[in-house]
Amino acid sequence: MIARHWRGWTEIDDADAYEALLKEKVLPALRRIEGYRGGYVLRSDGPQEAEFVVINLFDSLDAVKRFAGPDYTVPIFEPEAKMLLCKAEPLAMHYEVRAATALAL
């Protein structure tokens, strides 16, 4: 299993809208990709910015490429996300998952 990790930041006033975009549009769209196994949206509000960490799980790098294309390290943004993010990491990182436990949220 592969974990795709990426970080982006919004202004505090845009954080709720960005979180809603991830939860209502981005994650549901990912569920339609063969080999997608779920993900997490983490948020940390600071005094001026909110940091988002997005971790998505895929069966393999081939499944990641079905989502992100052949240059899979480049982050994928919805047009609305580009308007809400004030900065973003230029690359998505990929890790082989070596251990996991089941969580209930």
Side-chain angles (χ1 to χ4, degrees), residues 91-103:
L91 297 175
M93 301 301 297
H94 298 83
Y95 303 89
E96 186 176 323
V97 177
R98 297 297 187 124
T101 59
L103 298 176

Side-chain angles (χ1 to χ4, degrees), residues 54-99:
V54 180
I55 302 169
N56 286 300
L57 302 170
F58 295 88
D59 282 340
S60 64
L61 278 178
D62 286 337
V64 172
K65 291 175 184 177
R66 281 193 283 278
F67 162 64
D71 195 4
Y72 64 91
T73 62
V74 175
I76 303 296
F77 300 106
E78 295 290 331
E80 304 96 318
K82 290 181 181 180
M83 295 171 36
L84 295 169
L85 290 165
C86 62
K87 65 182 176 184
E89 287 185 328
L91 297 175
M93 301 301 297
H94 298 83
Y95 303 89
E96 186 176 323
V97 177
R98 297 297 187 124

Side-chain angles (χ1 to χ4, degrees), residues 15-85:
D16 289 341
Y18 184 65
E19 181 178 337
L21 174 68
L22 291 172
K23 289 165 43 176
E24 296 168 12
K25 185 174 184 180
V26 175
L27 292 178
L30 283 167
R31 289 186 193 112
R32 294 189 289 272
I33 296 170
E34 182 185 347
Y36 178 70
R37 294 293 171 241
Y40 298 92
V41 173
L42 312 177
R43 176 176 163 176
S44 177
D45 288 353
Q48 297 176 348
E49 295 177 331
E51 177 184 0
F52 287 86
V53 177
V54 180
I55 302 169
N56 286 300
L57 302 170
F58 295 88
D59 282 340
S60 64
L61 278 178
D62 286 337
V64 172
K65 291 175 184 177
R66 281 193 283 278
F67 162 64
D71 195 4
Y72 64 91
T73 62
V74 175
I76 303 296
F77 300 106
E78 295 290 331
E80 304 96 318
K82 290 181 181 180
M83 295 171 36
L84 295 169
L85 290 165

